[in-house]
Amino acid sequence: MTLDEAIRAYQEDGYEVTHVVESVCGGCGGKAFTVQMTEDQAMRRTCLGCGLAEFIGDSDEHWDEDDAEECECTCGGEEFAAALGSSCLPDGEVRWLTVGLRCLECGLAGVYEDWKIDYLPSAHLVTRA
């Protein structure tokens, strides 16, 4: 299963994923990351190429450095390709975000986190992969 397929197959509370955007480093264009997450539904990815750390979705608003833990695949791998799935209303506003990771060691793809968006405007979140 591809990362796009894994994200689209996961429909929390029946919200269909309408957009999937691959994570690309804003510094060097890299597509390989370590990823940290917190219990408060926040994720940050760090590029393996240049070391730039960037938040996924609106995670910067909920980030707690003391609560952050490294994501790890069931195979033990800690390097990933990442993508952000969005469930959008007809007007383009986001109602749900889903983060998928594909392990660069074994290739396993799956959803690692998802969360509801309950504020407007939110359409800009579609691109915050």
Side-chain angles (χ1 to χ4, degrees):
M1 180 178 290
T2 68
L3 185 52
D4 185 275
E5 291 169 336
I7 292 171
R8 289 183 187 278
Y10 184 86
Q11 293 186 25
E12 183 65 31
D13 288 347
Y15 291 127
E16 178 184 358
V17 173
T18 55
H19 300 84
V20 176
V21 177
E22 181 180 22
S23 294
V24 178
C25 175
C28 72
K31 297 180 180 180
F33 307 94
T34 58
V35 181
Q36 292 179 299
M37 60 190 292
T38 70
E39 290 184 22
D40 292 326
Q41 299 173 317
M43 297 183 81
R44 180 176 66 187
R45 58 181 171 78
T46 302
C47 179
L48 293 173
C50 71
L52 179 64
E54 297 176 284
F55 290 103
I56 298 173
D58 62 351
S59 294
D60 52 327
E61 298 174 21
H62 309 284
W63 190 253
D64 178 0
E65 188 70 37
D66 294 334
D67 187 35
E69 294 184 16
E70 293 290 328
C71 292
E72 184 177 318
C73 179
T74 56
C75 78
E78 295 182 348
E79 298 179 351
F80 300 94
L84 177 65
S86 304
S87 175
C88 296
L89 297 165
D91 64 2
E93 296 296 341
V94 176
R95 62 181 166 183
W96 206 274
L97 294 176
T98 303
V99 179
L101 303 177
R102 181 179 51 80
C103 178
L104 298 180
E105 188 169 324
C106 74
L108 182 64
V111 169
Y112 276 66
E113 186 64 271
D114 67 296
W115 60 91
K116 185 176 175 135
I117 301 299
D118 57 3
Y119 59 86
L120 296 175
S122 61
H124 67 284
L125 295 174
V126 171
T127 62
R128 297 216 40 209

